Amino acid sequence: MAATIRRRLQRGAASTAVAALVLAALTASQAPAATEAAAARKQKPAPPGDTPIDGGSTYFTDRPPLHRTAPPREAHRTGQGTALGTGPAEAGLPATVLAAYKKAASAVGASDPGCRLPWQLLAGIGKVESGQARGGAVDAEGTTLQPILGPQLNGNGFARITDTDGGRYDGDLTHDRAVGPMQFIPSTWSNGGLDGTGWGADGNGDGKKDPNNVFDAALAAGRYLCAGDRDLSVQDDLDRAILGYNHSEDYLRTVLSWYTFYRHGTHEVPDGRGVLPVHRGGAGKSGGDSTGSAHHDHGSDAPGRKPGKGGPGTGKPGKGQHNHPGKPGGSGTGDTPGGTGTPKPKPTPETPTPETPTGPARLTALERAGDKDLSATAGTEFAASPRVRAKDAAGKPVAGAPVRFALPTSTGARFPGDATTVTVTTDKDGLATAPTLRAGDKAGAFTIRATAVGRTAPAVAFGATVKAKPAPKADKLARTSDKELTATAGQAFAEDAVEVEATYQGKIAAGAAVTATMVTDDPKKPVENTKGPYFKDPEATGDDKDKPVRTLTGLTTDANGLLKLPKIYTDRHAGTFLLRLTTADGAVLTVKLKVAAPAGS
């Protein structure tokens, strides 16, 4: 913790003399075991702005279900692990949170391949810092349904950081708190980065940098872990990166344990169905977690492990127990802030029985919310989105339940990101609304299905209709040039010889359909000519590719209302011929094509 505050003071406004006094006091109070461990660790120079992420706040200390303690450092480095326990529930990562870790690792791998950031490391830190965003309690965009806040960093057992964000991220106008699924302190998110603008990142491409969004936070954490030219395949760099989050040997071992556990296999679970950490130590301790997610006390080790010699109340760390300067119990005296007194008894966690399901487990039915028809014009967005309400057996709304909306793959309609399926978590009123749906280019009808993820409630079907685009109108056609059009019999007219402009009521008519026909000169009833100038079918093959075509349909004007006709060829007939251009709205343009006889004929 001394190192944590030391780096912050060097960047703060405090004078050198004040900083020296504070550092001397902190160094004197640091436990010998932690001091020796830090001194023995090989360290590279810290990168500019190397600020601890979580401000030294409390953290979850559940251990993965290992058959024995964390493997030796060599196992982390080589990937050869220990015999890990089965623990299928703990190996399940919420879908959106897992996607955020993988996307962040991929992005960092593209921009900084030398770092070799594994997504399992982000998962290990996310587990320790927030229990994977409280079991994946996030919305479709990856933002937590409720704020995840660390204790107030008021210097009472933690770092002292007065408010730097005006409460923008943490809602605290006096001191900062660690925020979000990766527990960034506001000052680090906003202005603690290498370039002085902060580590905050936009991981989901919505134009915002939100520490409460798991995509944003995971990308920011990945960049922080890789700062200073770190290579995370090198153990010293890996240790140093993790300690940047919370300068604690116990924290380091806990993260490494989860990192190793996840490297041995994980699986995806629905959002909101991830395993939550067992509460130990109580919420609100020394500022606490204002959202009620209790962090574990640092004086305890993995559940079920026996303390060694020393321990609480002795002033000496026992085996499996560690001092944490500047935190509750930091002098080895248990949970009592300040290091005096008797450790408080830890409450026994209460486990819901199968007969009394809680949260999403109570969901028994989905019902359609809203009676608006789902319709849109081809290529446009639907005005309304599919929406359902989750209810329990008593008809009460169920919050935090994941609902999947699925489109048939045959339709051209898509959710954002070109997705055909999205999972949305119900809000406090039990409502789940699909993101904006965009229609494809073809007209037709299809069905959208909403299902409760992991539950047997009947699905809800939504009928959707895509209407064809109305044909653009054009009531006038005109050539863009008055140059005479001439060619010699047996040869072709110049490329793009005929260009016309379409307008409707004096304005350009983009996308207007035009038909071009070579016609006879009968003033009463012109019909398609059988001789003279002609087109070729661009899609014809073999003997048909040179076959004369004297009527072209399906021609359309461009965004500027302009149309350039395909190349015009001539046969052996000379004379003046007519090209007639028409639109469905009555526009007619007749163009003269003069064909001269070959010289000497």
Side-chain angles (χ1 to χ4, degrees):
M1 198 64 224
T4 297
I5 299 180
R6 180 182 299 114
R7 289 193 293 270
R8 186 172 296 110
L9 287 174
Q10 288 171 343
R11 283 186 303 278
S15 67
T16 304
V18 173
L21 289 173
V22 174
L23 292 175
L26 288 170
T27 304
S29 66
Q30 191 172 20
T35 305
E36 292 171 4
R41 192 179 313 284
K42 182 180 179 181
Q43 297 272 350
K44 291 184 179 180
D50 187 14
T51 303
I53 294 295
D54 66 6
S57 64
T58 53
Y59 53 87
F60 294 110
T61 55
D62 284 351
R63 297 294 179 117
L66 305 174
H67 284 313
R68 58 187 179 91
T69 57
R73 296 290 172 83
E74 290 74 13
H76 294 293
R77 179 164 49 247
T78 63
Q80 299 171 354
T82 60
L84 293 176
T86 52
E90 288 287 5
L93 294 175
T96 300
V97 177
L98 176 60
Y101 294 150
K102 290 184 175 181
K103 184 175 182 180
S106 176
V108 173
S111 61
D112 187 4
C115 176
R116 298 176 177 85
L117 170 68
W119 67 262
Q120 293 91 339
L121 177 58
L122 294 173
I125 290 176
K127 176 68 174 180
V128 174
E129 291 289 349
S130 69
Q132 308 301 14
R134 289 207 189 103
V138 297
D139 63 18
E141 286 73 38
T143 302
T144 58
L145 299 180
Q146 294 180 346
I148 300 177
L149 300 177
Q152 189 180 66
L153 299 175
N154 55 14
N156 184 17
F158 308 102
R160 178 179 175 81
I161 307 177
T162 56
D163 178 53
T164 62
D165 65 334
R168 174 185 178 188
Y169 297 119
D170 56 13
D172 195 320
L173 296 176
T174 59
H175 295 84
D176 276 349
R177 296 171 181 260
V179 179
M182 301 302 278
Q183 289 290 276
F184 276 83
I185 53 176
S187 55
T188 303
W189 184 265
S190 299
N191 55 26
L194 289 171
D195 58 359
T197 60
W199 291 103
D202 178 13
N204 61 352
D206 64 356
K208 298 182 293 185
K209 298 178 181 180
D210 183 3
N212 296 295
N213 182 277
V214 69
F215 287 96
D216 294 358
L219 179 58
R223 290 174 177 173
Y224 175 85
L225 293 168
C226 289
D229 297 322
R230 290 172 183 150
D231 179 352
L232 298 182
S233 65
V234 176
Q235 193 65 43
D236 285 339
D237 281 4
L238 177 62
D239 293 351
R240 177 171 172 264
I242 296 171
L243 287 171
Y245 250 92
N246 194 306
H247 202 79
S248 156
E249 289 291 319
D250 188 51
Y251 179 86
L252 172 64
R253 279 200 317 278
T254 305
V255 170
L256 287 176
S257 293
W258 282 110
Y259 168 46
T260 301
F261 179 72
Y262 290 140
R263 288 181 65 186
H264 281 76
T266 62
H267 61 272
E268 180 182 306
V269 299
D271 290 342
R273 300 295 294 275
V275 176
L276 291 174
V278 178
H279 287 198
R280 287 190 176 84
K285 180 176 57 179
S286 295
D289 184 337
S290 63
T291 63
S293 66
H295 291 287
H296 291 184
D297 107 66
H298 292 197
S300 64
D301 212 312
R305 294 183 62 183
K306 297 179 179 180
K309 296 179 180 179
T314 65
K316 298 180 181 179
K319 185 177 180 181
Q321 298 174 320
H322 305 275
N323 286 336
H324 300 277
K327 296 184 180 181
S331 59
T333 57
D335 289 337
T336 305
T340 60
T342 304
K344 298 177 181 178
K346 293 179 172 58
T348 301
E350 298 179 1
T351 303
T353 63
E355 291 76 15
T356 57
T358 61
R362 296 186 292 114
L363 190 156
T364 59
L366 291 178
E367 66 177 24
R368 178 169 179 164
D371 55 0
K372 290 184 178 180
D373 293 333
L374 299 178
S375 64
T377 301
T380 66
E381 294 180 348
F382 282 77
S385 294
R387 194 181 195 191
V388 296
R389 186 187 304 274
K391 290 186 174 182
D392 61 15
K396 295 181 179 180
V398 177
V403 176
R404 178 177 291 114
F405 294 90
L407 306 171
T409 56
S410 58
T411 183
R414 292 293 184 268
F415 292 116
D418 201 33
T420 56
T421 61
V422 293
T423 300
V424 180
T425 304
T426 56
D427 61 17
K428 61 183 179 63
D429 297 317
L431 292 173
T433 304
T436 302
L437 179 63
R438 187 173 186 83
D441 293 330
K442 294 182 179 180
F446 60 93
T447 300
I448 306 168
R449 292 176 62 82
T451 56
V453 179
R455 308 302 298 168
T456 57
V460 176
F462 298 83
T465 304
V466 177
K467 302 175 183 178
K469 289 182 179 179
K473 295 182 177 182
D475 57 10
K476 183 178 180 181
L477 293 171
R479 283 188 65 196
T480 58
S481 170
D482 56 2
K483 183 178 179 181
E484 187 178 62
L485 300 173
T486 61
T488 301
Q491 298 181 7
F493 285 83
E495 292 281 354
D496 301 329
V498 181
E499 181 183 63
V500 298
E501 180 184 48
T503 57
Y504 181 72
Q505 296 180 353
K507 297 181 179 179
I508 62 172
V514 178
T515 298
T517 307
M518 301 295 179
V519 295
T520 62
D521 58 359
D522 185 342
K524 295 183 178 180
K525 190 177 181 180
V527 296
E528 182 180 279
N529 211 334
T530 57
K531 62 182 180 180
Y534 62 91
F535 304 104
K536 290 183 180 180
D537 185 351
E539 298 181 358
T541 59
D543 295 339
D544 292 334
K545 66 180 181 180
D546 293 324
K547 184 177 179 180
V549 175
R550 290 188 167 88
T551 297
L552 288 180
T553 59
L555 302 173
T556 56
T557 58
D558 62 16
N560 297 313
L562 299 176
L563 169 64
K564 291 182 179 180
L565 267 62
K567 191 173 183 179
I568 300 174
Y569 300 86
T570 66
D571 56 16
R572 60 186 178 84
H573 296 90
T576 298
F577 299 89
L578 302 179
L579 168 62
R580 192 168 186 256
L581 303 172
T582 60
T583 71
D585 301 296
V588 178
L589 173 65
T590 301
V591 179
K592 290 184 178 181
L593 302 174
K594 292 184 178 181
V595 180
S601 62

